[in-house]
Each structure stands twice: as structure tokens, then as C-alpha cells.
Amino acid sequence: MTSADLDVKAMYQRKDVLSTQVDDDLIIFDEEQGMYFTTNGIGVVIWDLLEAPMSAEALCEALYEKYDVGLSQCRDDTQRFLLQMIASKLIHPI
């Protein structure tokens, strides 16, 4: 999957992984893979927003409105994070 693919696909978090927030960190446990993942800051916000299907563009717009960040930087950072989450099989593109 490339960053261009994220422009047209919606995605959502997997419902069969466990997640909990500890202080500022989000800990995600994927029992199927037997692996833990952690994220913090904006990663926690992105995870929460992806409870329902959302496109990368809509996600970036929501983050752009909430935080003081340039739109181009927001898109780049969001796409990089989403690609990592997809590669880790924590979110599903649809």
C-alpha cells in the first residue's frame, strides 16, 4: 500500500485487539500476533478517531482543525502513521 492509496480508502481500527490508555500512552495488544504496540500524543487521537471508518483525508482535516500544524505536514505525518498501523495490521483499509 502506498500513500496514494490512503487518499481514496477509508480505514478503521481492528475490533479484536485490546487497547488501554496508561497516562499519555496507548497500549495496544494484538493477541493474534502476540505483540504489543504503543503510541502516544496524536497517535492516541488517531486511534480514537478510527473507531469508525474514516478516510485519511477526513482524519487529517480533523487533526488540522484541532492542532496548530500545517496542512501539508499534517498529511505527511498522518499518512506515515497510518501506513505503519496498516503494516502492523492494527487498522483495516476498506
Side-chain angles (χ1 to χ4, degrees), residues 3 6 60 69-83:
S3 60
L6 292 175
C60 188
V69 62
L71 188 56
S72 177
Q73 184 68 47
C74 182
R75 282 187 180 127
D76 291 345
D77 293 347
T78 301
Q79 288 182 348
R80 186 172 29 259
F81 182 80
L82 292 173
L83 289 170

Side-chain angles (χ1 to χ4, degrees), residues 1-37:
M1 175 164 291
T2 67
S3 60
D5 294 326
L6 292 175
D7 291 337
V8 296
K9 293 183 185 277
M11 58 210 68
Y12 62 97
Q13 60 176 249
R14 279 184 41 207
K15 302 301 181 199
D16 62 335
V17 296
L18 303 172
S19 64
T20 190
Q21 191 160 350
V22 178
D23 297 322
D24 294 334
D25 294 328
L26 179 69
I27 301 168
I28 304 167
F29 176 64
D30 182 350
E31 186 176 12
E32 185 178 295
Q33 296 184 69
M35 298 185 71
Y36 285 93
F37 302 87

Side-chain angles (χ1 to χ4, degrees), residues 35-75:
M35 298 185 71
Y36 285 93
F37 302 87
T38 60
T39 189
N40 57 26
I42 302 296
V44 176
V45 175
I46 291 172
W47 182 257
D48 289 343
L49 287 170
L50 290 176
E51 282 189 50
M54 182 177 262
S55 71
E57 187 63 28
L59 183 60
C60 188
E61 287 174 13
L63 295 171
Y64 176 72
E65 290 176 12
K66 186 172 184 168
Y67 297 99
D68 183 26
V69 62
L71 188 56
S72 177
Q73 184 68 47
C74 182
R75 282 187 180 127

